[in-house]
Structures are given as C-alpha cells and as structure tokens.
C-alpha cells in the first residue's frame, strides 16, 4: 500500500499538481485498503515531505484503523468530506503559508456539486484541476495477490456452475437458474456477485444483457449464462452457452463460429497487441462467416475490483496488453427472434503468453 502511494504520487507530480483527491470507492479501496462507504484520500505529489491523508467519519473510526496501513494519516471528519471536512483536515502548508496549492480531482467521479462545495470550503486557498484515470491506470496491472484473488473467484464461480449443471436446466425457469447459481456462489464463499447472473434461453439469448425471466427452459434450446463471483473484493466473469438437446443447423453453426472466434482471440492474448487488434481477430472470423451485424459489442474488458474496468478490448481499445493485466475474451452472435451465443473466458496476460483463470470446457455441451 505504501508502494501504491509512491506510484500515484509520481503521477500527481508528473501532472504538475501538489495533491490528488481520490474519492471513487474502488479507487479508494485499491489505494488505501479502506472499504467503508464514506472516505476520501488525499495523495501528495511529494510523500517524502507531505503526509498522505485518509478522511472518513466517526462510524468508521475502528474500521479505518484496522484496514489502512500506517502510511496513511487518518482524520475523522465531522463535516462533509468533500467540502468543509477536507478543508479542515488539509495538512498545513509548508512554512505556514495560506495556500494549499493545486489540488487534482477526477471529474469522472467528483460531481459538479462536490466541486462547488470544495471551492466554497477552500475559499480561494486551493486551485482545483481535473486529472482523470490516474488510479485506474495503476490498477491495470495486477499484483500477484490480486491475481490470486481473481483466480479464486473464478474457480469458485466454476464450481457453482458445475453444481448447477448436475441438477440440469430443462424445466427450470431462467430465474430459478439464476437463483441456484447465486446461492451456490454464496455458499461456496462469495461475499456477493460480480453482477446479477444473465440466464437466457432460446430467442431470449439474442439480448446480450438479458434479464432472467419466469420462463421454463425447454429441451432443444441454447441457453446462455453469464455469471461471476466476488471474493475479497475481486470479481470473476465467465459466460457459457449450453445445449438442452438438438438445435437446428443454423444455431449449431452460430455456436461453432463464436467458438472459433473465441479460441482465436484468446490465443492472441499476450503482451503486445492492443485491445483493438484483439477485437479484430474475433470480429474478422465472425464477419467472414456472415454475421457482421450480429456482434454488436466489444470483445472484452479488464476485470479486477470492478467487473468492467480498463483495458477495453474493442474497436476503441488503444491500450497494448502487458503482463499482469486480466481481461475477458467474449465474442458473441445475436440473432433477434432466434438465438444468441456468447463464450467468455477470463485471461491473465503472462510474460510469455496468457493463462485462463477459469476452466470450464467450451466445446458444445449437452445438458439435460
Ligand atoms: Zn460476463
Ligand atoms: Zn464480461
């Protein structure tokens, strides 16, 4: 955690700021270890000289002391943290002067109202400037401990799916299937889910983010299930499409095309290529098979404390993959009124290639 302060401080200094306010809950957690619902961190550009301050309120006095390492100077504020609270607990300027200098904030996370409150509370003693995505950029590369947490979450989610499949799909409603998965994940130790499971049978599968319905799964359908567990704050994310019997040739072909695209794109995950290049690997296969209009989302995304985080693997993904990133590879084909197929794996980029963190088979699988 002290090392994380140093790395963020370097970015703050590079941007020409004196301080950076970190208020987004997941960024705060990554930076300080604190998981309470009300916290603000103040990271100095020069941690050798100025303290890193972590503000919260009375409710979290014990929790913050237990979670945040000693590198953080903890302050319990009685006012709004992003306003009078921060102004009251701001470290005294060097030499006792009146100005706190230039304070950065992330305008993706700080609201217009919060900025106005800060400006009122500081009353001209600080200048506020936006600096976006600096913590997110550090979160891109996972530490060994983070990798192990995500791996454990992925293995737990796999185990929950194996349990579900043992009980079968036919005759259960999509909602029941979602509930079984959820309770299995929780029983196996997940604190919560990465997101509510998507369970979509037959034509409902054409909706990439389908909500499970009170509709029974029938024989002879494809059923797409997208689910993930959250363990120690870290997410997993996986999708499989199962068969509940024979489907028509077109549907079977769609599955084979998605599988081919998924295998090719997953094989291309390694240090070097950008998200755009990887997206193109899968997209080319799907387009060449005649489904250019049916793959309307990106290939994948980073996963960590957040189930969707940087880097993006899509037409807009210009970040080149590096060892330590964890990304999904999840091409799909969706045919309105007919069916949908998506296959998603969670991959760790390693120094020489990549490694899947989940391990359920991807070949066509018949489930009763
Ligand atoms: Zn997913
Ligand atoms: Zn995903």
């Amino acid at each position: 955690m002290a090392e994380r302060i140093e790395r963020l401080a370097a970015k703050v200094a590079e941007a020409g700021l004196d301080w950076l306010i970190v208020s987004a809950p997941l960024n705060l957690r990554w930076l300080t270890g604190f998981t309470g619902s009300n916290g603000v961190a103040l990271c100095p550009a020069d941690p050798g000289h100025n303290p890193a301050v972590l503000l919260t309120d009375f409710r979290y006095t014990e929790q913050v002391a237990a979670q945040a390492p000693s590198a953080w100077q903890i302050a319990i504020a009685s006012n709004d943290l992003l306003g009078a609270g921060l102004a009251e607990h701001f470290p005294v300027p060097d030499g006792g002067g009146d100005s706190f200098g230039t304070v950065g904030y992330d305008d993706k996370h700080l609201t217009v109202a919060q900025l106005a409150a800060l400006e009122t509370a500081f009353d001209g003693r600080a200048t506020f400037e936006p600096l976006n995505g600096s913590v997110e950029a550090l979160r891109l590369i996972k530490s060994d401990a983070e990798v192990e947490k995500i791996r454990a979450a992925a293995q737990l989610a796999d185990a929950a799916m194996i349990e579900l499949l043992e009980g079968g799909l036919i005759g259960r409603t999509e909602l029941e299937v979602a509930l079984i998965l959820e309770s299995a994940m929780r029983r196996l130790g997940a604190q919560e889910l990465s997101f509510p499971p998507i369970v979509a049978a037959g034509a409902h599968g054409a909706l990439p983010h389908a909500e499970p319905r009170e509709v029974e799964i029938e024989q002879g359908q494809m059923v797409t299930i997208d689910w993930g567990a959250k363990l120690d704050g870290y997410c997993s994310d996986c999708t499989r499409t199962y068969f509940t019997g024979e489907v028509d040739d077109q549907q079977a072909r769609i599955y084979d095309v998605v599988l081919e695209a998924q295998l090719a794109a997953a094989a291309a995950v390694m240090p070097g290529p950008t998200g755009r290049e990887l997206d193109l690997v899968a997209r080319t296969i799907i387009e060449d098979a005649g489904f250019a209009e049916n793959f309307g989302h990106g290939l994948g995304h980073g996963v960590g404390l957040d189930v969707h985080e940087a880097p993006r693997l899509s037409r807009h993904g210009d970040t080149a993959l590096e060892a330590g990133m964890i990304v999904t590879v999840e091409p799909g084909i969706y045919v309105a009124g007919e069916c949908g197929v998506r296959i998603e794996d969670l991959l760790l980029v390693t120094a020489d290639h990549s490694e899947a963190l989940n391990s359920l088979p991807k070949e066509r699988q018949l489930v009763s």
Side-chain angles (χ1 to χ4, degrees), residues 177-261:
V177 168
L179 180 63
I180 292 166
L181 263 182
E182 171 164 359
S183 60
M185 285 190 276
R186 285 178 168 276
R187 182 162 32 73
L188 292 167
Q191 288 119 7
E192 51 183 313
L193 308 184
S194 301
F195 53 90
I198 293 165
V199 181
H204 197 45
L207 284 66
H209 275 192
E211 286 183 26
R213 303 164 300 172
E214 194 69 68
V215 171
E216 278 186 17
I217 296 170
E218 296 166 18
Q219 194 171 10
Q221 291 183 314
M222 292 196 293
V223 185
T224 296
I225 305 178
D226 190 345
W227 78 109
K230 202 184 265 191
L231 197 58
D232 262 340
Y234 284 83
C235 298
S236 75
D237 189 7
C238 181
T239 308
R240 289 290 182 270
T241 299
Y242 294 106
F243 291 72
T244 58
E246 282 297 309
V247 298
D248 67 38
D249 289 351
Q250 167 78 348
Q251 293 189 12
R253 177 164 172 269
I254 286 172
Y255 189 88
D256 293 343
V257 172
V258 173
L259 180 58
E260 186 190 344

Side-chain angles (χ1 to χ4, degrees), residues 237 301 308 328 330 344:
D237 189 7
H301 51 87
H308 292 116
T328 69
E330 50 178 307
E344 173 179 29

